[in-house]
Amino acid sequence: MASDGLHESETLAALRSEAESLKGKLEEERAKLHDVELRQVAERVEALGQFVMKTRRTLKGHGNKVLCMDWCRDKRRIVSSSQDGKVIVWDSFTTNKEHAVTMPCTWVMACAYAPSGCAIACGGLDNKCSVYPLTFDKNENMAAKKKSVAMHTNYLSACSFTNSDMQILTASGDGTCALWDVESGQLLQSFHGHGADVLCLDLAPSETGNTFVSGGCDKKAMVWDMRSGQCVQAFETHESDINSVRYYPSGDAFASGSDDATCRLYDLRADREVAIYSKESIIFGASSVDFSLSGRLLFAGYNDYTINVWDVLKGVRVSILFGHENRVSTLRVSPDGTAFCSGSWDHTLRVWA
Amino acid sequence: MPALHIEDLPEKEKLKMEVEQLRKEVKLQRQQVSKCSEEIKNYIEERSGEDPLVKGIPEDKNPFKEKSSCIIS
C-alpha cells in the first residue's frame, strides 16, 4: 500500500537523522573533556637520546612476501607466514628454522603462537584459521595434525590465542571477528559492527579484562566486550583503512596504523584520540605498530620500506630504520622488550635491537 | 560461521542497530584528557628506565647483539 511505503521511508529518514544527531552529540561529549594535548602534558619529560638500533638477525627462507609474524612467549622463537603458503617457526637467536608447514592456500595473512609455545595458528585465503601442534619428532608430518578451528566467509586477516591455547580470536575480510573454542571448533561469540573488512585485532592485556580492539577498511577502530559480543567504544578518526591496532601496555589506550600514513593513540578512558604520529614527509601507509615495554616508544612499519620509531609522549619521530627492500608488513616487539622483529614483502624478517 | 551477515540485513535493521549502539556510546563515562594523559605519562616514566629498547642493554647481556663478527647469511 502506498501509505506503508511512505511510513517506511519516514522511519528510515527518522532513524538516519537520529543517528546523525547522536554522532554529533558523541563528538560534543568527547570534546568537552579535551582540555589538553598529550604532548603538552609531556613537555617537561626528558627528551629521548640518540637511538642506535640495527638489524641483528635476518631470517631468510620464505619464497615470497612475509605477511605476518608472532613471537613465542619464550622470547626467542618466532612464527612467520607468507604469500607462498608457507608457515615457518624460527629460533631467532640462531636463525635456524625449526618447523615448516605448507598451507593449502597462498597468502597466509595471519599467524600466531600459542601461549604454551606448543602450537601455532594460521590462515588466510582459505577463509579458515587452523591450529598446528608443534612436534619435535622429525618423522612426524606437521600437516597431519592440523586442526581446522575457525570458518569465515572471506579471508582471515588476523588471529590471536586468548590467554590459553583453548580459544582463538579471529578477524576476517567478511567484516566480522569471532571467538572460537580450539578443541571443538565451536563458535563461542561473534562480533558484528564493522562496515567492511576487518584487518587487525589485539587482545587487551590480561589484567585489563575481557576486551579486544579491531581495525578495518571502514576506517574504524572498535573495542569489544568478549563475553557479550557488544561493541563498547568506536573511533573513526583515521582517513583510510586501519591496518594494525595494538594495546598500550597498561591497557588504558591503544595505537593504530593506517593507510592514511598516520599512527594514532586513543585513550579508552577519555574515549578519544589523544595523539597523532605523522610527518609531511611520510606519505605511505603504516602497516604494523607495536609499543616498547614501557610504552614510551611506538615502532611502526610502513609501505615505503622503513620503520619509524615514535616518542609516544612527545609525538615526534626519534628514529627511522632502513634495511628492508620492500614494504614492511608486520612488526612485533619481543615479549620481554629486548628486541623487535619486522617482516617484509622482501621475503625476509629482521630482528632489531 | 559467524551468526549473521551485516550486508544481508535490511537498511532499517542496520540503522536501528547503529542508533542503539550510538545511544550507548553517548552515555559512556569519560575522563578528562589531562587526567588520562597524566596517567599515561606517569606509567611510562615509571617504567622507561627498565625498557631495554629505550635505555639500551650492554652488549653482553642482550642475546640479539652480535656474538661474533662472522655471519653466514
Side-chain angles (χ1 to χ4, degrees):
Chain A
M1 293 206 349
S3 55
D4 278 356
L6 260 179
H7 181 70
E8 184 64 31
S9 62
E10 272 167 5
T11 317
L12 277 175
L15 282 170
R16 274 193 204 109
S17 104
E18 191 180 350
E20 279 318 297
S21 103
L22 280 168
K23 280 184 194 166
K25 186 103 178 72
L26 190 54
E27 274 321 293
E28 259 179 55
E29 292 299 314
R30 283 171 163 167
K32 276 184 197 168
L33 296 160
H34 187 201
D35 52 348
V36 80
E37 299 291 330
L38 174 60
R39 60 186 147 75
Q40 289 171 279
V41 168
E43 248 152 41
R44 300 254 205 84
V45 175
E46 209 180 302
L48 293 165
Q50 268 290 1
F51 278 94
V52 181
M53 253 174 244
K54 303 195 296 184
T55 300
R56 304 292 177 170
R57 301 285 188 278
T58 304
L59 305 178
K60 294 189 186 182
H62 277 295
N64 212 322
K65 308 176 173 71
V66 175
L67 303 173
C68 190
M69 59 80 39
D70 190 20
W71 287 90
C72 176
R73 282 189 186 180
D74 72 0
K75 308 161 236 172
R76 88 184 257 174
R77 283 171 181 80
I78 283 174
V79 61
S80 62
S81 63
S82 165
Q83 184 193 344
D84 69 358
K86 288 221 174 42
V87 178
I88 299 177
V89 174
W90 315 76
D91 176 334
S92 64
F93 288 5
T94 62
T95 74
N96 288 338
K97 297 178 199 43
E98 294 194 341
H99 303 271
V101 71
T102 304
M103 293 282 285
C105 66
T106 57
W107 289 90
V108 188
M109 297 171 222
C111 64
Y113 229 114
S116 67
C118 298
I120 52 133
C122 55
L125 284 187
D126 58 352
N127 299 358
K128 297 188 209 171
C129 184
S130 307
V131 174
Y132 291 86
L134 295 174
T135 169
F136 282 91
D137 183 347
K138 294 283 174 217
N139 296 326
E140 207 166 316
N141 181 4
M142 219 171 114
K145 297 263 167 149
K146 167 179 169 174
K147 199 183 186 61
S148 269
V149 174
M151 279 282 309
H152 278 278
T153 53
N154 209 328
Y155 64 90
L156 186 82
S157 55
C159 63
S160 174
F161 284 86
T162 59
N163 288 324
S164 75
D165 287 18
M166 317 271 61
Q167 292 181 357
I168 283 188
L169 197 53
T170 57
S172 167
D174 68 13
T176 71
C177 295
L179 181 67
W180 311 81
D181 176 272
V182 172
E183 193 51 48
S184 63
Q186 198 195 348
L187 173 69
L188 298 171
Q189 186 61 262
S190 63
F191 306 88
H192 299 267
H194 277 288
D197 306 23
V198 187
L199 298 178
C200 52
L201 64 81
D202 192 37
L203 261 122
S206 39
E207 315 78 58
T208 323
N210 290 345
T211 61
F212 74 95
V213 59
S214 63
C217 291
D218 58 356
K219 311 176 202 167
K220 284 206 257 185
M222 301 179 79
V223 180
W224 306 88
D225 178 317
M226 278 168 70
R227 271 175 290 221
S228 67
Q230 296 297 309
C231 167
V232 174
Q233 289 165 274
F235 304 89
E236 203 171 346
T237 61
H238 271 294
E239 293 167 23
S240 187
D241 300 3
I242 297 179
N243 299 311
S244 176
V245 285
R246 193 73 69 214
Y247 270 92
Y248 171 76
S250 74
D252 293 324
F254 70 90
S256 58
S258 163
D259 273 352
D260 69 8
T262 72
C263 297
R264 296 175 198 235
L265 186 69
Y266 298 89
D267 188 302
L268 293 169
R269 294 152 314 163
D271 186 40
R272 64 170 298 121
E273 174 191 302
V274 292
I276 176 167
Y277 307 100
S278 66
K279 266 176 107 68
E280 260 183 53
S281 53
I282 301 175
I283 56 172
F284 284 81
S287 63
S288 194
V289 300
D290 202 359
F291 287 98
S292 68
L293 202 65
S294 65
R296 182 68 196 266
L297 300 173
L298 181 70
F299 298 96
Y302 290 76
N303 293 341
D304 64 0
Y305 315 175
T306 68
I307 292 166
N308 287 305
V309 186
W310 299 91
D311 179 330
V312 169
L313 293 177
K314 292 186 180 286
V316 295
R317 179 175 68 185
V318 292
S319 192
I320 176 168
L321 303 174
F322 300 96
H324 278 297
E325 294 167 15
N326 205 321
R327 290 193 187 190
V328 177
S329 52
T330 179
L331 186 156
R332 297 292 301 251
V333 171
S334 73
D336 61 354
T338 52
F340 70 91
C341 179
S342 58
S344 165
W345 280 19
D346 69 8
H347 308 189
T348 72
L349 293 115
R350 285 172 180 249
V351 179
W352 308 76
Chain B
M1 295 254 198
L4 55 82
H5 289 249
I6 289 280
E7 326 82 67
D8 295 345
L9 288 177
E11 183 75 21
K12 193 165 105 172
E13 290 310 309
K14 279 196 242 181
L15 278 170
K16 272 197 197 163
M17 279 171 66
E18 192 184 346
V19 165
E20 229 177 270
Q21 179 63 28
L22 284 165
R23 280 188 193 145
K24 270 196 286 178
E25 286 179 31
V26 167
K27 292 209 192 104
L28 212 64
Q29 295 273 40
R30 294 174 187 82
Q31 293 180 31
Q32 298 271 54
V33 174
S34 52
K35 175 168 181 270
C36 300
S37 299
E38 197 67 37
E39 285 176 30
I40 290 180
K41 180 181 76 108
N42 292 339
Y43 182 93
I44 288 177
E45 288 200 289
E46 278 165 31
R47 289 164 182 76
S48 53
E50 294 311 306
D51 184 334
L53 288 168
V54 171
K55 71 172 173 108
I57 301 185
E59 292 282 328
D60 51 345
K61 293 265 170 60
N62 189 324
F64 288 110
K65 303 269 183 171
E66 318 291 297
K67 284 186 218 132
S68 67
S69 53
C70 176
I71 303 161
I72 300 167
S73 58

